Amino acid sequence: MRHSTLRQLEVFETIARLGSFTRAAEELFLTQPTVSMQIKKLTDAVGLTLFEQVGKKIYLTDAGRALHQTCRDIFEHLARFEMVAADMKGLKAGKLRLAVVTTAKYFAPRLLGMFCQQYPGVEVSLKVANRECLLERLADNQDDLYILGQPPEEVDAVAQAFLENPLVVLAPINHPLANKKRISLKRIAEEPFLSREPGSGTRIATERIFSEQGLKLKIRMELGSNEAIKQTIIGGLGISVLSHHTLGLDASMGQLAVLDVEGFPIHRHWYYAYPSGKQLSIVAQAFLGYLQQAPRFLVEGSSQYANISH
Ligand code: PGA
């Protein structure tokens, strides 16, 4: 193994992550024969098969899986050292890998934009996925920081609230309930309901409030995106519960009404989180410092949080 190069490990890690020699070659700007040659040399050095091919798919062998984890540890340490070195040079440079739940995409890009203006040397990657997928990534320590709608309970993590995340009941603007006051949860449960997909934090919070009252929603349709739900509400197929953030950035607000329902808005928060014991990179620490001021930045940028009226 001693004669293996970092380059070989990088090629191996990329194939293992992407599950494909071709895509790894593209990501690394290498030719496919070069990629195959690097893997052959690495395999010879290890003395065990690293990949096996079944049909067109590539799978890691047990040795491959162990080496993949080792590579990730090595690259994480190296990245941390690079950032320490950069910081020593007086630059806040390096990489920030942020993963956020689907609904946070309504504000996370703006937050990142403002952060990158402050630290132009920082390279950012943003992964957007639903809560369930994010918790898997967190348990697997795949990113630097996570933003989600409820502190992770399933994984041992550090979590801190930094921004409000009210959930509201949305209906088409011409819905008979649109002008009613103090609508009961029971009445809402009678309406056809458009639900987010299983694994969504919005869905979990919504189902909880109804089941606490012994009520069950009449789910008419399940959709995997907030945008699709908003369009389906406008199309008249049902009502839904979504984060107020989903109303922030486009013109659909004029076609949607926020209903005045008992127990709503559900007062939730956005949390940042990372696995307990993780040593945060300098850039991630700078981003956390910046997040403490996030509500001020976002409210200055938009007045959406001031007017959750019905
Ligand atoms: P979701 O998460 O986008 O997966 O629904 C949002 C939340 O947890 O509030």
Side-chain angles (χ1 to χ4, degrees):
M1 267 308 302
R2 290 243 211 92
H3 298 297
S4 308
T5 62
L6 264 185
R7 188 60 166 168
Q8 286 165 10
L9 294 180
E10 189 186 17
V11 169
F12 169 78
E13 194 281 330
T14 312
I15 299 169
R17 180 162 39 81
L18 300 176
S20 154
F21 277 58
T22 314
R23 281 167 58 203
E26 279 165 15
E27 181 171 308
L28 296 170
F29 301 107
L30 295 173
T31 63
Q32 220 169 328
T34 309
V35 165
S36 303
M37 179 54 72
Q38 299 281 17
I39 292 303
K40 185 175 178 321
K41 284 186 185 158
L42 184 63
T43 308
D44 290 347
V46 174
L48 290 166
T49 310
L50 301 172
F51 295 108
E52 55 198 8
Q53 186 154 2
V54 179
K56 284 195 168 166
K57 283 192 107 181
I58 286 172
Y59 297 91
L60 287 170
T61 60
D62 286 346
R65 260 194 299 281
L67 183 59
H68 188 206
Q69 187 55 50
T70 306
C71 285
R72 288 194 357 210
D73 293 345
I74 291 172
F75 289 126
E76 196 174 320
H77 279 93
L78 273 178
R80 205 173 301 140
F81 170 73
E82 270 171 19
M83 283 186 259
V84 170
D87 207 44
M88 284 171 179
K89 289 183 210 155
L91 299 164
K92 277 268 165 37
K95 196 157 186 189
L96 176 67
R97 292 167 304 170
L98 187 65
V100 308
V101 282
T102 323
T103 308
K105 76 169 186 209
Y106 291 93
F107 65 88
R110 272 182 293 154
L111 270 182
L112 279 177
M114 290 183 279
F115 179 70
C116 290
Q117 275 172 17
Q118 275 187 29
Y119 301 106
V122 172
E123 194 189 320
V124 175
S125 75
L126 178 65
K127 169 83 192 165
V128 181
N130 79 13
R131 177 178 175 85
E132 194 172 72
C133 171
L134 219 71
L135 291 177
E136 278 171 21
R137 292 181 71 94
L138 192 148
D140 214 17
N141 191 23
Q142 289 194 29
D143 312 271
D144 294 317
L145 290 172
Y146 299 83
I147 294 180
L148 68 181
Q150 199 173 316
E153 288 147 14
E154 306 82 344
V155 190
D156 191 12
V158 177
Q160 173 75 43
F162 67 94
L163 186 66
E164 287 182 18
N165 174 26
L167 297 191
V168 292
V169 184
L170 296 175
I173 196 82
N174 56 0
H175 193 279
L177 294 176
N179 296 316
K180 297 273 187 292
K181 295 271 168 226
R182 311 279 302 145
I183 306 160
S184 68
L185 276 185
K186 190 163 169 292
R187 176 69 189 81
I188 293 296
E190 289 165 10
E191 291 287 314
F193 195 84
L194 309 173
S195 175
R196 282 280 307 273
E197 77 286 2
S200 145
T202 308
R203 174 170 170 151
I204 293 167
T206 306
E207 284 180 345
R208 187 173 300 146
I209 186 166
F210 281 88
S211 70
E212 275 168 8
Q213 302 296 320
L215 297 167
K216 201 162 180 313
L217 287 161
K218 264 176 48 188
I219 295 183
R220 176 168 199 182
M221 212 190 273
E222 225 176 65
L223 297 109
S225 108
N226 295 318
E227 286 307 304
I229 289 186
K230 277 164 39 186
Q231 293 306 323
T232 312
I233 298 172
I234 293 168
L237 290 181
I239 64 171
S240 188
V241 171
L242 293 180
S243 166
H244 196 268
H245 286 272
T246 64
L247 299 176
L249 295 175
D250 62 29
S252 60
M253 188 53 182
Q255 297 169 274
L256 293 169
V258 177
L259 299 187
D260 181 1
V261 179
E262 279 175 2
F264 278 86
I266 303 177
H267 293 289
R268 303 184 80 215
H269 285 88
W270 291 114
Y271 291 79
Y272 68 73
Y274 55 89
S276 298
K278 181 176 176 76
Q279 210 188 328
L280 290 181
S281 70
I282 309 261
V283 173
Q285 286 172 30
F287 188 71
L288 285 193
Y290 164 83
L291 271 190
Q292 312 300 329
Q293 304 167 46
R296 184 166 64 76
F297 287 138
L298 288 172
V299 173
E300 278 168 7
S302 118
S303 59
Q304 61 176 308
Y305 308 103
N307 55 11
I308 307 179
S309 58
H310 301 285

